[in-house]
Amino acid sequence: EKGGWPSFMDKEIHEDPEAVANTLLGRFDAKGDIVLDEVRIEPEVLRSIDRIVVVACGTASYAGLVARYAIEHWVRIPVEVELAHEFRYRDPILTPRTLVVAISQSGETMDTLMAIRHAREQGSRVLAICNTQGASIPRESDAVLYTHAGPEIAVASTKAFVAQIVAAYLLGLYFAQIKGTMFRDEIHHIVQQLRSMPEKIQWVLDTQADTVNRTATHMVNARSFLFLGRHVGYPVALEGALKLKEIAYTFTEGFAAGELKHGPIALVDAGEPVVVIVPSSRGRSTLHNKVVSGIEEVKARGAYTIVVAEEGDPDAERYADAVFWRPVCSTLLSPLVDVVPLQLFAMDMAMLKGYDVDKPRNLAKSVTVE
Ligand code: M6R
């Protein structure tokens, strides 16, 4: 079943490119416009939506956080992302014009299921982004957009995460198309870029795995890791931290790079590993400069810096002890490639420590109790 791979996790990480490609498949008409046939909510109703609330847990919630940056930018409506278990118990404000988007790989997560039941009772429409055909969450939703990542067996979610981002992006672009918040050409241009992502992810798998493995070997005894990122790099940092904690049992914390001086920098001591997601250096954007100054600050305090950066970024070379390169791509699409070395890194760390990467202790693949 593992098809020659040492673990399901290894196999599934190597299926990231396919998960992205398959989730895009069959979602366009001959003119290149987006057609989401499964989203059986009338266009007039979709046009009236004035707020999106994403409910999800764990990795799926980080896919929601990534999508928030893109959807708000493209559709100009507020997107909130809430952990399903928190949402359910705080009497959230929901109206018929709110679209609740439940993201779940298994479609059986009880916390997320309870959240959508609550949303529907309040009169909101629910759309599920799900990887499992016919599971409870899509069954109880008004509409569903399936991710086509294929069955995910390893407890640590990998290929489902990239597929969830793609599905949520398709939903955002579809909204932009029907609400007319973007030009057709702009949408087509982003779709073109999305189509090139499988190749870019493959490049990371083919060229960066050795560096990742060497870095994991070097850091195997580290007791804790900090992960930081800004903008879409922030949820990627949270996801990288979760992966390492889940399967390598290493204490990690992921946080927004801008928070560094508001507290977390106190943790940085000589030798402390800090993983930083660096935005594109093209045009030397403010975003890039701000994150680089964060690296400088932790470096000055003796941190061991592991950086995910765009090919050829001179600042990455200057301040990083190890670099995982990303091929050039637009900022909003960068999470699809940036998460890949972090998935590999967590897996390598767990393997080096002799742990079962597919079945980490204390965890179930789908959490069917509240
Ligand atoms: O099946 P779901 O996507 O609803 O699961 C949500 C979380 O339980 C899941 O993503 C969990 O955080 C994973 N173990 C992460 O690797």
Side-chain angles (χ1 to χ4, degrees):
E1 261 183 85
K2 287 182 211 162
W5 294 98
S7 64
F8 280 107
M9 186 178 182
D10 207 347
K11 172 173 181 272
E12 288 162 7
I13 295 172
H14 286 84
E15 287 168 353
D16 282 345
E18 223 180 305
V20 168
N22 289 344
T23 300
L24 287 170
L25 220 61
R27 257 89 199 232
F28 310 95
D29 66 13
K31 287 180 278 164
D33 291 335
I34 301 169
V35 207
L36 301 179
D37 284 335
E38 318 137 84
V39 179
R40 282 190 220 93
I41 303 179
E42 316 75 68
E44 309 82 75
V45 176
L46 287 180
R47 231 172 267 129
S48 74
I49 296 297
D50 62 3
R51 176 169 158 253
I52 292 177
V53 178
V54 176
V55 292
C57 302
T59 290
S61 75
Y62 302 146
L65 285 176
V66 169
R68 168 161 69 174
Y69 292 89
I71 300 177
E72 288 194 338
H73 180 64
W74 294 333
V75 194
R76 306 308 299 154
I77 59 172
V79 179
E80 291 156 42
V81 182
E82 189 147 343
L83 294 169
H85 34 90
E86 285 296 316
F87 170 85
R88 171 67 187 82
Y89 291 101
R90 69 166 180 85
D91 195 13
I93 299 163
L94 294 163
T95 75
R97 300 181 71 176
T98 309
L99 179 71
V100 171
V101 176
I103 307 182
S104 175
Q105 187 288 128
S106 63
E108 299 296 347
T109 300
M110 187 54 75
D111 290 316
T112 310
L113 186 59
M114 296 309 276
I116 67 168
R117 282 187 186 157
H118 182 72
R120 293 189 79 196
E121 278 161 20
Q122 307 300 306
S124 289
R125 289 225 170 39
V126 174
L127 181 144
I129 291 180
C130 184
N131 196 46
T132 315
Q133 296 275 340
S136 306
I137 291 170
R139 269 206 323 268
E140 293 200 24
S141 299
D142 297 285
V144 52
L145 187 54
Y146 281 109
T147 47
H148 296 300
E152 193 180 63
I153 310 294
V155 166
S157 188
T158 53
K159 60 177 180 172
F161 176 72
V162 288
Q164 284 159 350
I165 295 174
V166 171
Y169 277 20
L170 279 173
L171 181 68
L173 293 170
Y174 185 61
F175 260 108
Q177 187 176 286
I178 61 172
K179 278 178 173 278
T181 53
M182 283 166 87
F183 292 116
R184 252 180 108 204
D185 286 0
E186 280 180 276
I187 299 178
H188 288 189
H189 181 62
I190 296 167
V191 167
Q192 273 318 108
Q193 292 181 326
L194 271 169
R195 287 188 199 275
S196 71
M197 294 316 283
E199 208 179 295
K200 296 189 194 255
I201 298 174
Q202 193 59 51
W203 181 88
V204 174
L205 290 167
D206 293 343
T207 66
Q208 302 302 294
D210 287 346
T211 316
V212 171
N213 190 268
R214 252 181 283 118
T215 311
T217 308
H218 185 64
M219 299 314 287
V220 72
N221 294 320
R223 299 194 48 214
S224 66
F225 279 81
L226 302 179
F227 284 72
L228 56 111
R230 208 174 169 110
H231 190 259
V232 285
Y234 168 41
V236 173
L238 296 177
E239 172 61 5
L242 177 65
K243 285 288 90 88
L244 197 53
K245 155 187 322 172
E246 273 190 302
I247 59 168
Y249 316 144
T250 308
F251 190 89
T252 61
E253 183 167 307
F255 53 89
E259 274 296 285
L260 204 53
K261 54 189 167 306
H262 300 287
I265 199 157
L267 289 167
V268 180
D269 205 353
E272 176 67 27
V274 182
V275 181
V276 190
I277 321 297
V278 184
S280 170
S281 59
R282 276 166 301 143
R284 288 294 161 92
S285 69
T286 336
L287 208 59
H288 173 265
N289 296 348
K290 291 237 154 95
V291 174
V292 168
S293 76
I295 309 177
E296 281 180 75
E297 277 173 51
V298 295
K299 188 88 198 133
R301 285 158 183 84
Y304 184 86
T305 54
I306 303 168
V307 157
V308 182
E310 189 171 271
E311 255 192 304
D313 180 341
D315 295 313
E317 297 268 343
R318 189 159 344 131
Y319 301 113
D321 294 300
V323 189
F324 303 157
W325 294 115
R326 112 164 54 85
V328 173
C329 69
S330 83
T331 301
L332 287 173
L333 300 190
S334 60
L336 294 171
V337 276
D338 288 353
V339 74
V340 179
L342 305 185
Q343 294 172 341
L344 290 170
F345 185 67
M347 181 183 72
D348 288 351
M349 288 283 282
M351 301 253 295
L352 289 162
K353 289 176 163 194
Y355 300 144
D356 181 342
V357 293
D358 289 337
K359 288 197 187 64
R361 68 186 182 201
N362 309 340
L363 289 170
K365 178 63 180 162
S366 81
V367 184
T368 52
V369 288
E370 265 194 279

